[in-house]
Amino acid sequence: MAEREHVRVAVIGSGFGGLGAAVRLRREGVTDFVVLERADSVGGTWRDNSYPGCACDVPSHLYSFSFAPNPDWPRTFSGQEHIRAYLEHVADVFHLRPHIRFDSEVRLMTWDGGRLCWDIETSSGRLSADVVVSATGPLSDPRIPEIPGLESFPGRVFHSARWDHDYDLRGKRVAVVGTGASAIQIVPEIQPEVGRLTLFQRTPPWVMPRVDRAISGLERRLHRQVPLTAKARRGLLWGIRELQVQAFTRHPQELGLVEKLATRNMARAVKDPALRAKLTPAYRIGCKRILLSNTYYPALARPNVDVVASGLARVEGATAVAADGTRAEVDAIVFGTGFHVTDFPIAERVVGAAGHTLAQAWKDGMEALRGATAAGFPNWMSIIGPNTGLGNSSMILMIESQLNYMADYLRQLDGLGGRAALDARPGAVAGWNRMVQERMKRTVWSTGGCTSWYLDANGRNTTVWPGTTAQFRSATRRVDLAEYEVLRTPGTTAPATAAEPTETTETTETTETTKTTKTTETTKVEAGA
């Protein structure tokens, strides 16, 4: 990387968000950009999470880009290796590799108000950019809780997202801490080979059957030869999940029937009433993410598994001690305790116009205009930002919506002419956030009676979008310049701008989805092994 290279756009991260941004930039005619990736390959969370049994809980044909359909998904719910291969092929098919700078971890991004650009320091050099698109994602930095005595544990300790493939678990006494999406996939995979498995469960999850199967060769050929069939399949999967959203966001009481189905799923596999009592949640289904597995409950019922209905409190030598006093001698501790979701680590490295970091600006909770931009941080935007997560559908849908917003943001900058930047107005950010939080009050995530990783330290949900993906797509289709202050280099006269809004200009409550008028060429991606 050149000592003082300057680019139009710097994209941070090469997972779904970063690669999607790179594809969209090329399609918009922007070729002066780089993708800064801290690792040595693309894939993001699907590169980092290689633990046994790692797979997606969203159907394959929906968990892929609309502009890069893959007719050859091997299963209805794909495993980590197939999703990572898909992303590698996206990088190849769309000729993104010349733009990617591997082993280039961003250490600091500082806004230069005089030059209207971002100065970026990375582990491989320095550069500057007119616009920064942060696509690091919320599932990028593992979270291991502070456990007294853990530092002196004589065995192996690792997080599910940093799996130690050199450590042989066969015959070992293993503690698994956590019962989230990763843990319920890990437990069934390692249970048959470990000597003893102790699961430290702070809160039991609701687990539904995973309706997974191999996709036949006939189906794949049909999708290759008649692409419209794959598009129809994707549309059906999307439509079903859009219809489900109302139960999560407006009528949580309707989820009672789903609870009964989940309870029956447990009863079929777990015959011991004492174990069933430990595994039965005391909150409304959907309040925490609903998990999918056909093997989790059967694994917990095996004789070499102990379920401790309490979180890990401390470690004494080789003994793991739960909050309820239960003790277990273990050789290894595997943490399935999630990620820094409500406190993005990248925020510590972003210094805005006022000289403070994004983390400082978000000290009372993350908030961003339309999930993308923050006041005081001009020409900086996030992909999968605050309140853009989903509880029941594909994040790729939300990413593509934010890519629409990114593309129009750049068009607006170009239309202003000369050196210019856009800074989200505080009133617009506050108005958008008020709307989101008001709608959040009636959702299952707020009324379901649980404490989840969706909530920040103040108990506010800064993670999930309280509506349909169609509503979000409508709200992010265009950039409203009235929500931004236009910045010019010193000495340049700025054009008149609209008065600062105090509320968002669109609540998206009843907005219908409109069809885009711009047609783009669809590229097939052969995602093999």
Side-chain angles (χ1 to χ4, degrees):
M1 174 180 304
E3 178 66 19
R4 277 294 183 180
E5 178 184 10
H6 181 82
V7 294
R8 174 66 167 151
V9 182
V11 179
I12 317 299
S14 67
F16 267 101
L19 293 182
V23 172
R24 188 57 183 269
L25 287 171
R26 286 182 60 91
R27 290 192 160 194
E28 292 292 320
V30 179
T31 57
D32 183 18
F33 71 91
V34 295
V35 178
L36 302 174
E37 170 55 56
R38 65 183 178 185
D40 59 2
S41 60
V42 304
T45 191
W46 294 105
R47 175 199 60 233
D48 297 341
N49 286 269
S50 59
Y51 59 79
C54 183
C56 190
D57 59 2
V58 175
S60 303
H61 286 85
L62 194 58
Y63 198 80
S64 47
F65 291 120
S66 63
F67 53 78
N70 174 22
D72 283 318
W73 288 115
R75 302 195 65 84
T76 52
F77 290 88
S78 290
Q80 174 264 344
E81 68 277 16
H82 299 113
I83 298 173
R84 183 179 181 185
Y86 170 79
L87 290 172
E88 292 279 1
H89 279 268
V90 166
D92 290 334
V93 168
F94 290 96
H95 309 292
L96 303 181
R97 294 194 186 277
H99 298 277
I100 303 175
R101 309 292 170 85
F102 293 114
D103 300 311
S104 298
E105 181 174 11
V106 172
R107 292 173 175 168
L108 186 67
M109 291 181 280
T110 306
W111 175 250
D112 186 327
R115 294 161 50 228
L116 294 186
C117 68
W118 287 93
D119 287 323
I120 306 170
E121 297 179 20
T122 80
S123 57
S124 63
R126 303 176 66 185
L127 74 158
S128 59
D130 295 335
V131 177
V132 169
V133 178
S134 179
T136 57
L139 307 182
S140 57
D141 290 274
R143 187 186 68 85
I144 294 182
E146 295 184 5
I147 304 294
L150 184 63
E151 68 283 352
S152 59
F153 177 66
R156 291 292 184 95
V157 177
F158 50 91
H159 190 277
S160 58
R162 301 291 185 268
W163 193 267
D164 188 346
H165 291 280
D166 294 328
Y167 184 68
D168 189 354
L169 291 175
R170 286 178 296 182
K172 300 294 196 305
R173 300 166 299 176
V174 180
V176 175
V177 182
T179 53
S182 299
I184 73 156
Q185 294 177 345
I186 293 169
V187 167
E189 289 294 316
I190 68 173
Q191 174 271 318
E193 64 181 38
V194 302
R196 186 145 212 94
L197 191 154
T198 303
L199 178 67
F200 288 86
Q201 171 193 269
R202 188 173 60 180
T203 307
W206 284 106
V207 182
M208 293 287 287
R210 183 182 181 87
V211 188
D212 186 25
R213 65 172 179 82
I215 298 177
S216 69
L218 177 62
E219 290 174 275
R220 296 189 211 178
R221 285 194 299 274
L222 181 62
H223 292 332
R224 280 196 303 270
Q225 296 171 9
V226 188
L228 187 61
T229 60
K231 186 175 181 180
R233 183 175 193 159
R234 178 186 176 91
L236 178 62
L237 292 169
W238 169 77
I240 291 172
R241 279 154 180 78
E242 290 289 273
L243 292 174
Q244 294 171 347
V245 169
Q246 295 298 323
F248 287 83
T249 61
R250 303 186 67 173
H251 307 291
Q253 68 279 3
E254 295 178 357
L255 292 166
L257 176 60
V258 184
E259 280 185 15
K260 292 180 181 178
L261 295 175
T263 301
R264 290 175 187 171
N265 179 48
M266 182 198 307
R268 282 194 294 268
V270 180
K271 304 304 180 184
D272 180 3
L275 181 56
R276 281 205 306 271
K278 289 182 180 180
L279 300 176
T280 302
Y283 56 86
R284 173 66 75 190
I285 194 170
C287 184
K288 296 167 75 76
R289 189 174 181 94
I290 300 173
L291 306 181
L292 305 178
S293 178
N294 300 324
T295 56
Y296 179 65
Y297 286 140
L300 297 185
R302 301 300 297 169
N304 70 329
V305 177
D306 296 313
V307 177
V308 178
S310 183
L312 179 63
R314 65 186 185 277
V315 176
E316 298 176 356
T319 304
V321 185
D324 66 359
T326 302
R327 303 169 70 86
E329 298 292 318
V330 296
D331 302 305
I333 302 175
V334 178
F335 284 94
T337 45
F339 301 83
H340 289 274
V341 174
T342 59
D343 56 338
F344 286 8
I346 193 69
E348 296 278 0
R349 308 177 189 187
V350 184
V351 180
H356 57 245
T357 67
L358 185 59
Q360 291 171 320
W362 283 349
K363 66 181 186 301
D364 296 324
M366 300 189 303
E367 56 182 38
L369 176 59
R370 303 182 187 273
T373 55
F377 297 84
N379 283 9
W380 183 95
M381 63 173 50
S382 178
I383 304 296
I384 316 182
N387 290 114
T388 61
L390 295 176
N392 76 312
S393 192
S394 172
M395 278 306 303
I396 314 306
L397 301 170
M398 301 295 279
I399 289 172
E400 291 195 25
S401 292
Q402 292 199 291
L403 298 183
N404 289 340
Y405 197 75
M406 176 198 74
D408 197 53
Y409 190 101
L410 293 171
R411 292 189 209 110
Q412 296 287 354
L413 282 176
D414 289 341
L416 291 170
R419 297 289 298 171
L422 296 177
D423 189 7
R425 295 181 181 273
V429 177
W432 173 263
N433 193 60
R434 279 195 297 271
M435 179 274 291
V436 169
Q437 293 303 321
E438 183 62 30
R439 292 180 61 179
M440 196 70 71
K441 291 179 181 178
R442 57 190 175 191
T443 68
V444 68
W445 309 302
S446 297
T447 64
C450 74
T451 299
S452 73
W453 57 266
Y454 298 148
L455 308 180
D456 64 15
N458 299 313
R460 191 175 62 166
N461 191 325
T462 58
T463 306
V464 183
W465 167 245
T468 66
T469 63
Q471 289 170 337
F472 189 77
R473 176 66 60 95
S474 178
T476 54
R477 192 173 300 281
R478 296 285 184 269
V479 169
D480 181 358
L481 282 181
E483 296 180 331
Y484 290 88
E485 179 183 358
V486 177
L487 306 181
R488 299 278 184 175
T489 53
T492 303
T493 302
T497 58
E500 180 174 345
T502 56
E503 298 290 342
T504 57
T505 57
E506 183 177 14
T507 64
T508 75
E509 185 69 38
T510 58
T511 305
E512 295 183 0
T513 305
T514 58
K515 295 182 179 179
T516 58
T517 57
K518 181 179 179 181
T519 59
T520 56
E521 181 182 357
T522 299
T523 304
K524 294 182 181 178
V525 178
E526 304 295 333

